Amino acid sequence: MRILLDKFSKSFGDVRVIEDMTLEIKDGEMLALLGPSGCGKSTTLFAICGIHKVTGGRILFGDRDMTGVPSQERNVGVVFQSYALYPHMTVAENIAFPLRIRKLPEAEVKRQMEEMANLVHIEALLDRRPAELSGGQQQRVALARALVRRPNVLLLDEPLANLDAKLRLEMRSEIRRIQLETGITAILVTHDQVEAMSMCDRIAIMNAGEIIQIATPQEMYRNPRTAFVAGFLGNPPIAFIEAEARGGMLAVKDADIRLPMPANATTPPDGTPVIVGIRPENLGRDGDAPIRGRISFVETQGRENLYDLTLANGSVLRSIQRESDDVSLNDEVEWRVRSDQLFLFAQNGERL
Amino acid sequence: MNASRDIARDGSAPLKARAVPARRSFGWLNSSKGLGIVLLTPALMLVVLFFLAPVVLTAVFAFTNMSTATGITGGAYQVSPGTLRVLTDRYGMRELAARLGQPTYIVDEEGLAALEEMGIDPGIIAGLRDEHLGETYSSRREFEREIRDLPDRPSTRTVKQISAEFSRSLANARFGNAGALVAAAEAIDPDLGDAEKEALLDATYTGWTWTTDNFRRLASSPQTTRVLLNTVFFVALTLTLFNTGFAMVLAITTHYIPERPAGIFRIIWFLPRISPAVIYVLLWKWLAWDTGFISAFLDNFGVRPRNWMLGSATNAWVFVILINGFVGASMGMVIFASAIKAIPQSLFHAASVDGAYRWQQVRHIILPHLKWPILFVTCYQTLSLLTAIDHILLSTDGGPGGSTEVWSLWVYHTALNNYAGNLQYGYGAAMALVLVVIGVVLSLIYLRLFNYSALIVKPRIEH
Ligand SMILES: Nc1ncnc2c1ncn2[C@@H]1O[C@H](COP(=O)(O)OP(=O)(O)OP(=O)(O)O)[C@@H](O)[C@H]1O
Ligand SMILES: [Mg+2]
């Protein structure tokens, strides 16, 4: 089901958390709400499921205006960050709870509960209590409970935050599998860009209560709208250096480095201070614009090496390259940048 | 270098020498066991003095017939028309009672010695000894006739004096100990049997004695059943309606209203608990008096003013339960409210999106979390209601006509304060002992229940 937040605002007393946010989630799509802590992701989620009353705007499920509908009637499945399983109920009772509350016939409750338990692979744990489950198992139960009532939309509030690295990887694909299998519209709240990029069809990047950009992961990675977005996506992260437009070129501040203007950028007038973003994978042995610097840090990541390159002006660029041992710490090197992959931002962070 | 080392060595030696014995003599303090006993001693003494001693004393008193009449120290042996009637009625010794109660004159050496002392003519004394020693008369006139017939012919005044000295009646005599009473009785009737002596001692003893009659009396008294039913009624109704029921309603409603008004609300409900009982009950009395608020208010509608609290048994119960209930509800409210507060907010959020409306949240989330608090409050309040006395005493004092007399109040009325003025300490102690036994049994059951719960309650999921 399509979800539309139409000029939605939310404030707690005097604290304005979200103002005039418009966001559309397409039917069957999985959208990531990505942003730093405190930017209003949970608030948005709680508004969609009706736990928070909105202070302005509308929330539409399909064509139906849900703004004033209580959460009990919205038919939204939520996986809370803490899972919020009912500690006094068994796994089976937890999953069946939304159905029993709706007074479905007991045989039907049992059938659907078991079907859902099979879907998330917890058939063997039905008689246990939440306290007797591992984090990943609790997570699956929470997912089953959210899905069992066939909700209009599935909301996941940082569902993987409490899991260890391995389990997180496993549950990532598991959640995506279930979402694709059920074809449900889903919103995943996270502040982990890898999670957002690997699991979702589209990403909405939020900052301070505003949506900065909505796009597919690739699009957003290749074409960030602001420096904030560029900085949020990618690991190791993008590096920024200050420069100035000078005669159709970019002169790096306090360093004898000139970079060509990226082709897709609008050329600013001479003397304009700009910020140049260089992704680590675009700085290396091949490219068209040379950059000199000293290697100030080397980290071996197995297949690849991560280098920090300190320029004459003290700025640090990052480079990720195939593993090799021809360079070592404190070597002066001249590497190259692929100028068509540079991002150019104005002082205020807007992409040029 | 060497010197300083020497100093160091010399310096440390005496220190060590001093430290070692000290450590040895107080070494037991370092073991947790020894220290534990030392630290516990004051607590143990307090427990014995203030917790065990009252119970033990109650148990001891319960097996006596102490009352205002007997006093609580020992007594004397008092023969009176009353005791003689007891001898007749309870022991069936009518003849003995008659014998002891009659005026009796016995010519014995004791009396003769007394006559000598009084300076009576020795001739008369010798005559009495020779002719009448050892004789017994049951009427004064007969005895005096015999005296007049003596060879010396005493004057009428002397005859009276003499007869008085030989009067050996027991009626209205008081004896300090059992020996004196038996001696006196044997003087009247030398053939007194052991059973008769025993009965006499029992009947005339004015102090307290050991007895199990209190319990027999308690078991057979119709008032016992009535007071017991009153108590059960009072405890059950106050407990379910207020101490848990109303407390739960308060806790749940304050959970769903905003924090500030909820806090104010809770403080208001706490006021009865922290206001002095006398003042609190006085307010209720003002409310219910025939010139009080209710009467004054209903007067506007033509209802005749009356005392609403003591007007009828039903009214009295309503007030007793309301007064105690409002006091008792606060504890449950605080415990339930904090238990509800301990439930993670996310559970309520989850329940809301799962489709549960408020009353379903109460039923499926709150109540399961309140299982142990409810059990705890029920247990605790049963015990405190069983012994609750102050508010009832101050409000209805068990009235009207004993209709709100509960067990603890009955104990008080029997043993410590009643209109008749005969305070029956022993009987009251027996009643109190019954209460103590019930309380101990309930406590043991509850303690088991709670320990057991500690074992089976599984750790809650971490949030
Ligand atoms: N009940 C509330 N009262 C006042 N301010 C609130 C309330 N709830 C949230 N906020 C504020 O709203 C802002 C957004 O909160 P929100 O919980 O949506 O953040 P988030 O993006 O989910 O962060 P995180 O990633 O840490 O969970 C924060 O600044 C927070 O302080
Ligand atoms: Mg959050």
Side-chain angles (χ1 to χ4, degrees):
Chain A
M1 186 171 287
R2 180 192 73 132
I3 310 293
L4 177 66
L5 303 184
D6 182 20
K7 299 217 176 65
F8 141 72
S9 306
K10 173 70 195 174
S11 42
F12 297 100
D14 295 339
V15 189
R16 295 179 169 184
V17 178
I18 288 166
E19 265 183 278
D20 286 345
M21 181 209 266
T22 298
L23 174 66
E24 186 183 0
I25 303 108
K26 297 190 193 116
D27 187 21
E29 175 182 51
M30 182 141 170
L31 179 99
L33 265 187
L34 181 63
S37 192
C39 71
K41 306 181 297 288
S42 297
T43 307
T44 309
L45 222 60
F46 280 21
I48 295 174
C49 65
I51 291 170
H52 289 341
K53 301 248 170 311
V54 304
T55 39
R58 297 187 306 158
I59 294 172
L60 279 85
F61 286 13
D63 293 327
R64 184 164 172 218
D65 187 349
M66 286 288 191
T67 318
V69 177
S71 53
Q72 285 86 353
E73 287 157 32
R74 290 199 189 186
N75 196 20
V76 174
V78 185
V79 175
F80 293 88
Q81 182 169 352
S82 59
Y83 306 143
L85 297 178
Y86 307 120
H88 53 284
M89 300 182 196
T90 63
V91 167
E93 286 164 344
N94 262 283
I95 300 175
F97 184 72
L99 304 177
R100 294 226 168 92
I101 282 291
R102 282 171 179 71
K103 306 232 157 47
L104 256 63
E106 197 51 33
E108 187 62 18
V109 169
K110 196 161 159 17
R111 193 185 63 71
Q112 293 193 21
M113 183 271 290
E114 278 169 358
E115 185 186 328
M116 205 43 69
N118 287 339
L119 181 72
V120 299
H121 303 321
I122 48 168
E123 316 79 324
L125 309 174
L126 290 179
D127 292 329
R128 299 222 199 146
R129 306 223 168 204
E132 301 160 338
L133 299 178
S134 76
Q137 290 164 339
Q138 292 183 18
Q139 217 264 351
R140 287 166 193 261
V141 177
L143 199 59
R145 185 182 63 182
L147 287 171
V148 75
R149 81 205 73 160
R150 319 224 165 269
N152 294 325
V153 55
L154 175 66
L155 306 179
L156 303 138
D157 193 355
E158 307 199 25
L160 307 178
N162 287 346
L163 305 183
D164 67 38
K166 183 167 169 290
L167 201 56
R168 201 178 303 183
L169 216 65
E170 193 181 308
M171 286 311 295
R172 232 193 254 163
S173 49
E174 191 70 5
I175 291 175
R176 181 60 162 164
R177 169 182 74 82
I178 292 163
Q179 189 263 334
L180 289 174
E181 242 170 75
T182 51
I184 192 169
T185 311
I187 303 178
L188 173 83
V189 160
T190 174
H191 46 221
D192 180 349
Q193 46 102 10
V194 183
E195 223 167 272
M197 291 175 73
S198 62
M199 289 171 73
C200 296
D201 301 306
R202 284 197 304 159
I203 297 175
I205 284 231
M206 276 184 82
N207 191 23
E210 266 184 82
I211 301 232
I212 313 278
Q213 185 175 1
I214 308 183
T216 61
Q218 295 84 347
E219 169 66 11
M220 193 170 277
Y221 190 77
R222 285 201 207 113
N223 207 359
R225 187 176 292 164
T226 67
F228 175 80
V229 175
F232 218 91
L233 294 190
N235 187 27
I238 194 168
F240 296 106
I241 49 177
E242 290 178 40
E244 202 182 273
R246 199 178 294 159
M249 297 283 276
L250 298 164
V252 176
K253 208 169 163 191
D254 300 332
D256 187 20
I257 298 173
R258 300 214 155 209
L259 298 171
M261 198 65 73
N264 51 9
T266 46
T267 311
D270 269 14
T272 318
V274 293
I275 294 166
V276 181
I278 304 173
R279 289 212 187 273
E281 64 270 27
N282 297 329
L283 172 64
R285 309 301 167 90
D286 24 63
D288 48 345
I291 283 192
R292 290 189 65 83
R294 188 176 53 82
I295 294 181
S296 55
F297 177 75
V298 182
E299 186 185 292
T300 310
Q301 292 192 334
R303 226 169 340 109
E304 287 154 336
N305 277 1
L306 180 65
Y307 303 96
D308 276 8
L309 191 67
T310 305
L311 307 186
N313 66 359
S315 310
V316 179
L317 293 181
R318 270 180 287 267
S319 165
I320 192 157
Q321 299 173 17
R322 277 240 316 283
E323 215 254 311
S324 67
D325 35 42
D326 56 342
V327 283
S328 52
L329 201 59
N330 291 327
D331 283 358
E332 292 284 338
V333 295
E334 185 180 278
W335 279 344
R336 284 154 197 288
V337 178
R338 291 162 59 181
S339 63
D340 56 332
Q341 301 290 336
L342 291 182
F343 300 130
L344 202 56
F345 302 99
Q347 280 301 84
N348 65 2
E350 286 293 319
R351 180 88 178 276
L352 291 173
Chain B
M1 185 67 193
N2 270 343
S4 71
R5 200 193 288 152
D6 284 351
I7 289 168
R9 195 160 54 221
D10 287 354
S12 70
L15 253 179
K16 213 174 200 174
R18 248 178 283 130
V20 167
R23 200 178 298 150
R24 191 177 300 147
S25 58
F26 289 106
W28 59 277
L29 263 181
N30 288 338
S31 79
S32 58
K33 214 168 161 190
L35 196 60
I37 290 169
V38 170
L39 292 178
L40 269 179
T41 307
L44 282 177
M45 277 164 61
L46 289 179
V47 164
V48 169
L49 261 180
F50 295 107
F51 290 69
L52 282 178
V55 175
V56 171
L57 283 180
T58 305
V60 170
F61 283 5
F63 290 94
T64 70
N65 62 354
M66 283 184 196
S67 68
T68 317
T70 68
I72 56 170
T73 49
Y77 296 87
Q78 169 83 50
V79 186
S80 67
T83 55
L84 295 179
R85 210 175 309 124
V86 168
L87 219 45
T88 312
D89 297 348
R90 199 188 297 164
Y91 298 95
M93 298 178 179
R94 181 180 300 277
E95 279 163 38
L96 179 65
R99 249 178 290 147
L100 296 178
Q102 268 170 9
T104 309
Y105 297 87
I106 303 167
V107 182
D108 51 13
E109 286 295 346
E110 190 189 331
L112 293 172
L115 291 187
E116 268 167 27
E117 208 132 290
M118 286 166 65
I120 302 289
D121 187 346
I124 300 173
I125 300 173
L128 273 172
R129 182 178 285 127
D130 291 345
E131 292 182 26
H132 301 295
L133 188 64
E135 280 176 15
T136 300
Y137 306 89
S138 59
S139 107
R140 188 184 185 113
R141 190 162 345 124
E142 189 193 343
F143 182 39
E144 285 182 355
R145 197 185 319 124
E146 295 287 345
I147 298 171
R148 260 187 232 107
D149 289 346
L150 282 174
D152 285 63
R153 297 257 166 203
S155 69
T156 306
R157 209 172 66 88
T158 316
V159 169
K160 293 254 182 252
Q161 269 180 331
I162 293 171
S163 71
E165 280 312 309
F166 291 100
S167 167
R168 291 289 175 271
S169 170
L170 276 185
N172 299 320
R174 187 179 175 88
F175 301 89
N177 58 56
L181 172 63
V182 171
E186 276 178 334
I188 296 174
D189 183 351
D191 309 326
L192 224 48
D194 277 347
E196 286 171 320
K197 281 184 203 163
E198 194 105 315
L200 180 63
L201 287 175
D202 276 353
T204 56
Y205 186 60
T206 62
W208 57 269
T209 53
W210 297 107
T211 175
T212 53
D213 280 353
N214 292 330
F215 295 99
R216 229 166 280 136
R217 197 173 146 199
L218 205 52
S220 59
S221 164
Q223 209 185 347
T224 308
T225 323
R226 185 172 155 195
V227 173
L228 196 65
L229 287 178
N230 277 354
T231 310
V232 170
F233 177 77
F234 166 70
V235 171
L237 230 63
T238 314
L239 192 67
T240 48
L241 288 185
F242 284 91
N243 292 5
T244 52
F246 188 56
M248 185 114 61
V249 170
L250 286 176
I252 290 174
T253 44
T254 50
H255 171 72
Y256 280 115
I257 63 179
E259 196 55 39
R260 271 182 76 88
I264 294 169
F265 214 61
R266 284 191 200 122
I267 289 173
I268 292 175
W269 280 112
F270 215 74
L271 284 179
R273 171 88 273 172
I274 54 179
S275 54
V278 177
I279 292 175
Y280 175 66
V281 173
L282 212 56
L283 289 174
W284 279 95
K285 286 191 147 177
W286 280 341
L287 193 73
W289 269 341
D290 41 10
T291 54
F293 179 80
I294 299 179
S295 293
F297 180 74
L298 290 179
D299 202 18
N300 298 331
F301 303 97
V303 180
R304 217 157 45 81
R306 58 180 165 118
N307 188 330
W308 288 93
M309 191 186 286
L310 294 174
S312 70
T314 314
N315 283 11
W317 271 124
V318 168
F319 276 97
V320 162
I321 290 174
L322 282 179
I323 291 173
N324 280 280
F326 285 148
V327 172
S330 54
M331 178 196 166
M333 176 191 71
V334 168
I335 288 179
F336 296 149
S338 60
I340 294 175
K341 215 173 211 143
I343 303 175
Q345 200 61 31
S346 61
L347 287 189
F348 293 104
H349 291 163
S352 289
V353 299
D354 280 346
Y357 291 93
R358 271 191 190 171
W359 69 266
Q360 287 170 314
Q361 291 176 20
V362 170
R363 154 102 181 64
H364 292 287
I365 310 292
I366 293 184
L367 286 185
H369 276 92
L370 290 187
K371 216 166 104 196
W372 292 112
I374 289 172
L375 192 63
F376 170 73
V377 168
T378 306
C379 298
Y380 189 90
Q381 297 282 34
T382 323
L383 292 177
S384 63
L385 281 173
L386 271 179
T387 53
I389 177 167
D390 38 2
H391 292 97
I392 309 184
L393 175 69
L394 291 166
S395 56
T396 67
D397 196 15
S403 56
T404 54
E405 181 101 331
V406 294
W407 198 277
S408 50
L409 196 59
W410 192 31
V411 173
Y412 173 76
H413 282 153
T414 305
L416 300 172
N417 187 357
N418 63 30
Y419 298 119
N422 183 24
L423 308 181
Q424 307 173 67
Y425 312 127
Y427 191 32
M431 297 172 181
L433 191 64
V434 170
L435 204 58
V436 167
V437 169
I438 292 176
V440 167
V441 169
L442 285 180
S443 307
L444 288 178
I445 294 174
Y446 295 160
L447 281 178
R448 257 197 94 102
L449 226 53
F450 281 112
N451 275 344
Y452 186 52
S453 83
L455 291 179
I456 60 160
V457 164
K458 301 205 174 80
R460 280 216 270 138
I461 168 176
E462 281 148 352
H463 290 276

